[in-house]
Amino acid sequence: MKIMVINGPNLNMLGIREPTHYGKETYADLLKKIEKHAEEKGISIEFRQSNHEGDLVDYIQSTYQNFDGIVINPGAYTHTSIAILDAVKAVGVPTCEVHISDVNAREDFRKISYIRAACVLTVSGHGTDGYLEAIDYLIELKGK
Ligand code: DQA
């Protein structure tokens, strides 16, 4: 099984940016944690990160017929991007939306998620463990 883990804008700044919302783990720590989990589960993971909306669309498109699932934290594009929603709908690859912080407990604009309509799961507010939960969900889904 092969999953693409995509992180959007400013997630490369983890550990530096607003630690009260996003914690002290760095982006490199996050990748290590996911890699270890994937090894334990015997699955393969590829990582992508970009601060640019079009790159995220390209990454999603590249999963078509190549990946069994997507775990994506679209960052602020969650709340604005119809292009990212459309890309997920286009490829039809099971996709989980992850947010490190609890987006429903923050500003009203963070309660809107365009991508959610195309996702099989949303995990929000579970810190970086949310990525692992999303991976486990996709593994279970694939087994069904
Ligand atoms: C985020 C929440 C978004 O509202 C924010 O713009 C981010 C990160 C999260 O992981 O909690 O960049 O997706």
Side-chain angles (χ1 to χ4, degrees):
M1 176 168 195
K2 203 167 151 197
I3 293 174
M4 185 180 283
V5 176
I6 305 174
N7 278 287
N10 299 309
L11 287 152
N12 56 318
M13 297 289 283
L14 279 181
I16 299 163
R17 73 181 291 213
E18 303 180 86
T20 48
H21 285 304
Y22 305 115
K24 288 185 177 159
E25 270 173 282
T26 64
Y27 180 67
D29 294 337
L30 172 66
L31 301 198
K32 257 189 250 161
K33 179 173 175 168
I34 296 173
E35 198 66 75
K36 182 171 174 277
H37 189 73
E39 262 173 45
E40 283 165 10
K41 299 281 174 176
I43 61 156
S44 140
I45 298 271
E46 283 192 26
F47 297 106
R48 304 282 188 277
Q49 191 278 326
S50 177
N51 297 322
H52 306 280
E53 185 176 13
D55 287 346
L56 301 177
V57 170
D58 288 343
Y59 300 151
I60 293 164
Q61 287 187 4
S62 75
T63 65
Y64 180 65
Q65 293 186 332
N66 290 316
F67 285 79
D68 304 298
I70 299 171
V71 171
I72 183 166
N73 182 346
Y77 288 132
T78 306
H79 319 300
T80 61
S81 179
I82 297 165
I84 290 174
L85 165 68
D86 284 350
V88 172
K89 282 187 174 171
V91 294
V93 174
T95 298
C96 295
E97 172 193 15
V98 173
H99 301 287
I100 296 167
S101 66
D102 181 359
V103 283
N104 286 314
R106 299 179 63 192
E107 300 94 328
D108 280 349
F109 62 81
R110 291 187 206 274
K111 293 179 183 150
I112 296 159
S113 166
Y114 284 98
I115 194 176
R116 193 158 304 164
C119 289
V120 293
L121 177 78
T122 295
V123 187
S124 175
H126 296 182
T128 56
D129 284 351
Y131 291 85
L132 311 186
E133 287 173 39
I135 288 167
D136 290 347
Y137 187 88
L138 290 172
I139 292 171
E140 280 219 6
L141 193 69
K142 170 94 174 161
K144 277 181 191 159

